[in-house]
Amino acid sequence: MKDQLESIKKDFSTAIEKVKSLADLADLENKFLGRKNGALTLAMKELKNLPKSKIAEAGQAANEIKKNIELKIKSLKAELSQTGSDGFFDYTLPGQESPLGHLHLVTEAIREIAAIFERVGFERMRYPEVEWDYYAFESLNMPKDHPARDEWETFFIDKSPISKKFGLPAKASATAGQRVLTPHTSNGQVRDMERGKLPIRMMNISKTYRRQMDASHTPMFHQFEGLVIDKDINITHLKGTIDYFVKNFFLPAGEAGGPDREIRLRPHHFQFTEPSFEIDVSCGVCGGKGCKLCKEGWLELAGAGMVHPNVLKAGGIDPNKYSGFAFGWGVERCYMMKSGLNIDDIRLLYKNDLRFLRQF
């Protein structure tokens, strides 16, 4: 039986080289795999006559040869179907277009957000994702025991403070510190103030990191931070800027100010702003009825407020002469709340599922 199977394998390899058309291939397939008189079919029928100890081994060898023959026939059939049964290929026929990709949803959102704020004078800046705790916390008026500085909230790179004289301003009076994966884009506020150029209209868009994972949180996400500092800046400027962004981003073209979406500012507390607000938008997935994403019809998208005097001082700016406002939004959450998208789980954006990504 072993010699018979090897002979069939050798004969097939020789015969397939001579196939020139689909008709030849059909004859070859019938010769070796035909149900009644196929060479391999007849050989497999003889397995029952072998000693029981050899049936399994011979059967396995026969099945492997059969699979190999089927694969080669299938491959050659596809090739002959493309070139024509007579082996002729028309080179003037148009080729098959390669599939085209597109920008990821988050990249599209970042570009759209940046363009919206550029139209009202904001300058895009870039600041570190790996940051000193001074810029991430201390310069933002956060005390040492603030919950945000807990290892259960923030990704610390250093287990304990390290000596690092450069990279920290002299007024920080610190020669040691810890490095963190920045938990918010607010780390750019004091860094931008230290440039010494006033007035400030800064936009910082970057990756941020926190220890959270559910339908509305991921350990890595993107934020965009806005900072405005000038003389006589007040809350009406903050509210007007937020209203401008919402009307240009969340609703489809031509529907700015439509009645289907609502925004609310809730009084809140942040160490680096006073007064402070959280900004909510009515859920675009459930229409404000409540779902697994928003829970009660509203989704918190941003924190905002007037820059705290202590933060201005940390940036070398006199709070008696200048005032300002700041806001921080989650890019992914903002995009999910666009009208008509109906994305109810932020984790879908990073699962790399082409069935999902190809819809956008």
Side-chain angles (χ1 to χ4, degrees), residues 15-30:
I16 197 170
E17 295 294 332
K18 300 178 181 180
V19 172
K20 301 298 182 183
S21 66
L22 290 172
D24 293 342
L25 187 62
D27 292 340
L28 180 71
E29 185 175 12
N30 186 58

Side-chain angles (χ1 to χ4, degrees), residues 10-67:
K10 183 178 179 181
D11 290 345
F12 175 79
S13 297
T14 302
I16 197 170
E17 295 294 332
K18 300 178 181 180
V19 172
K20 301 298 182 183
S21 66
L22 290 172
D24 293 342
L25 187 62
D27 292 340
L28 180 71
E29 185 175 12
N30 186 58
K31 179 180 178 180
F32 286 91
L33 300 178
R35 292 187 178 182
K36 292 184 178 180
N37 299 315
L40 188 60
T41 303
L42 293 174
M44 295 181 75
K45 288 181 178 180
E46 296 179 12
L47 290 174
K48 62 184 179 181
N49 299 323
L50 294 176
K52 291 184 178 180
S53 60
K54 296 184 177 181
I55 290 178
E57 181 181 355
Q60 182 177 357
N63 282 324
E64 289 180 359
I65 293 174
K66 182 180 179 181
K67 289 180 180 179

Side-chain angles (χ1 to χ4, degrees), residues 131-339:
E131 183 61 281
W132 290 104
D133 59 1
Y134 171 77
Y135 286 108
F137 301 120
E138 190 171 336
S139 68
L140 297 177
N141 199 39
M142 293 187 183
K144 296 289 186 183
D145 58 352
H146 193 278
R149 303 180 76 162
D150 191 287
E151 63 179 2
W152 294 108
E153 288 289 334
T154 299
F155 291 101
F156 283 87
I157 293 178
D158 305 306
K159 291 183 178 180
S160 57
I162 61 174
S163 295
K164 207 70 173 177
K165 294 183 179 180
F166 67 87
L168 290 171
K171 61 175 173 288
S173 65
T175 57
Q178 288 174 278
R179 290 167 298 178
V180 300
L181 295 180
T182 183
H184 48 205
T185 47
S186 300
N187 71 305
Q189 289 190 24
V190 171
R191 282 188 175 274
D192 207 79
M193 295 179 203
E194 288 176 346
R195 296 169 62 215
K197 296 181 180 180
L198 292 171
I200 293 174
R201 284 174 177 79
M202 181 271 289
M203 174 64 51
N204 179 24
I205 307 177
S206 180
K207 294 176 182 176
T208 51
Y209 306 84
R210 297 182 192 177
R211 291 179 178 270
Q212 296 173 307
M213 172 71 88
D214 54 39
S216 58
H217 299 86
T218 52
M220 185 284 297
F221 59 102
H222 295 76
Q223 276 192 344
F224 62 97
E225 182 88 7
L227 175 67
V228 172
I229 296 177
D230 203 344
K231 293 181 179 179
D232 301 321
I233 296 295
N234 56 56
I235 292 178
T236 60
H237 297 112
L238 169 62
K239 188 176 184 301
T241 302
I242 293 171
D243 188 57
Y244 160 78
F245 170 70
V246 168
K247 289 183 177 180
N248 281 274
F249 183 81
F250 286 106
L251 299 174
E255 295 186 19
D260 60 326
R261 307 297 293 279
E262 296 181 19
I263 296 293
R264 69 179 184 185
L265 274 65
R266 288 183 292 107
H268 196 68
H269 171 73
F270 297 112
Q271 288 291 138
F272 36 89
T273 53
E274 180 58 39
S276 304
F277 307 94
E278 280 195 338
I279 304 169
D280 301 335
V281 62
S282 58
C283 183
V285 175
C286 64
K289 298 177 181 178
C291 63
K292 74 172 185 178
L293 177 66
C294 67
K295 304 300 187 295
E296 296 181 354
W298 295 90
L299 191 66
E300 181 262 313
L301 297 184
M306 302 302 294
V307 179
H308 197 287
N310 289 345
V311 178
L312 292 173
K313 291 177 182 178
I317 295 176
D318 186 352
N320 294 316
K321 295 181 179 180
Y322 290 91
S323 58
F325 65 81
F327 53 81
W329 298 67
V331 172
E332 291 85 348
R333 283 192 178 189
C334 283
Y335 196 87
M336 290 167 67
M337 286 295 99
K338 268 183 171 286
S339 296

